[in-house]
Amino acid sequence: WFVELRNNRTESTITALKWSKQGTLICFGYEDGYVLLAHIENDNIWGKHYRKGLYLIEWSPDGKNIMLAFRNYNIVIININGVQIGELDINVDLLGEEMVNMEWWTNFYTLETQSKHLMLAFKTGDVYLYDDSNDSEPIVIETTMDNCVQAIWNFYGNAFVIGGTFKDDKRVHGVSFYSADGVLLRKI
């Protein structure tokens, strides 16, 4: 079996999509701020406009909330019904910086998370680790990287990797490995 969703919205393109941690719901985001929630076995559940510049989506571990990252704006948090329930305030100096990933590490088997496992990684190489969307005191890691293209948790949530160019030599591309609490483990 399969379900096909067609993009008949000619005024905008899809810029982000993310499965829920449970794997039954998928959230699509369009550049113009339109967000669509769909179920794997059904049609669309709902669609709503938010603000322009949507480029990253992340689900909470319990699948009840969705975080939407917009260019030059704080992260908007909506519930499963599409109602805005809050915002994750980020450092005002980073509002103009591109985020390369927003990822909430979740144990694959139990769908539980650990403290400081909501990662916001920026092109500048700065990584912010939050407990959850209400955390006002994230761990801030100034990595050895710049011009970053991606940052991801490993399967176990005890380390992450960030890739880009090294700050001390812009000509060298590579990756840096960090522990979950921000200690540099190695560079390649």
Side-chain angles (χ1 to χ4, degrees), residues 6-91:
R6 293 194 180 261
N7 179 13
N8 59 1
R9 301 188 66 250
T10 57
E11 60 274 355
S12 189
T13 57
I14 293 175
T15 54
L17 52 108
K18 189 79 175 214
W19 285 102
S20 65
K21 308 292 184 192
Q22 296 76 10
T24 56
L25 298 171
I26 188 161
C27 187
F28 297 87
Y30 293 80
E31 199 287 325
D32 68 356
Y34 187 77
V35 175
L36 177 71
L37 186 69
H39 191 278
I40 193 170
E41 295 178 356
N42 299 321
D43 244 350
N44 305 345
I45 297 174
W46 55 258
K48 293 184 178 185
H49 269 100
Y50 293 93
R51 58 182 53 92
K52 289 187 177 192
L54 176 63
Y55 71 108
L56 288 173
I57 296 171
E58 180 59 300
W59 288 82
S60 63
D62 62 8
K64 294 180 180 178
N65 297 319
I66 304 167
M67 298 186 312
L68 308 172
F70 298 89
R71 298 193 189 288
N72 300 316
Y73 199 80
N74 283 332
I75 295 165
V76 171
I77 304 161
I78 60 174
N79 66 18
I80 197 73
N81 299 313
V83 176
Q84 183 173 337
I85 59 172
E87 292 183 7
L88 177 63
D89 291 325
I90 59 175
N91 183 323

Side-chain angles (χ1 to χ4, degrees), residues 161-182:
V161 65
I162 185 165
T165 58
F166 292 107
K167 287 181 179 174
D168 57 358
D169 188 348
K170 302 279 188 206
R171 297 169 296 156
V172 179
H173 299 270
V175 295
S176 292
F177 294 82
Y178 287 85
S179 67
D181 55 357

Side-chain angles (χ1 to χ4, degrees), residues 126-177:
D126 293 331
V127 174
Y128 285 61
L129 300 177
Y130 294 82
D131 283 329
D132 56 35
S133 57
N134 297 315
D135 188 354
S136 61
E137 296 182 17
I139 294 174
V140 180
I141 304 161
E142 294 179 11
T143 71
T144 60
M145 307 304 294
D146 197 7
N147 297 314
C148 296
V149 294
Q150 184 63 279
I152 55 174
W153 285 108
N154 72 351
F155 180 80
Y156 301 103
N158 60 1
F160 67 89
V161 65
I162 185 165
T165 58
F166 292 107
K167 287 181 179 174
D168 57 358
D169 188 348
K170 302 279 188 206
R171 297 169 296 156
V172 179
H173 299 270
V175 295
S176 292
F177 294 82

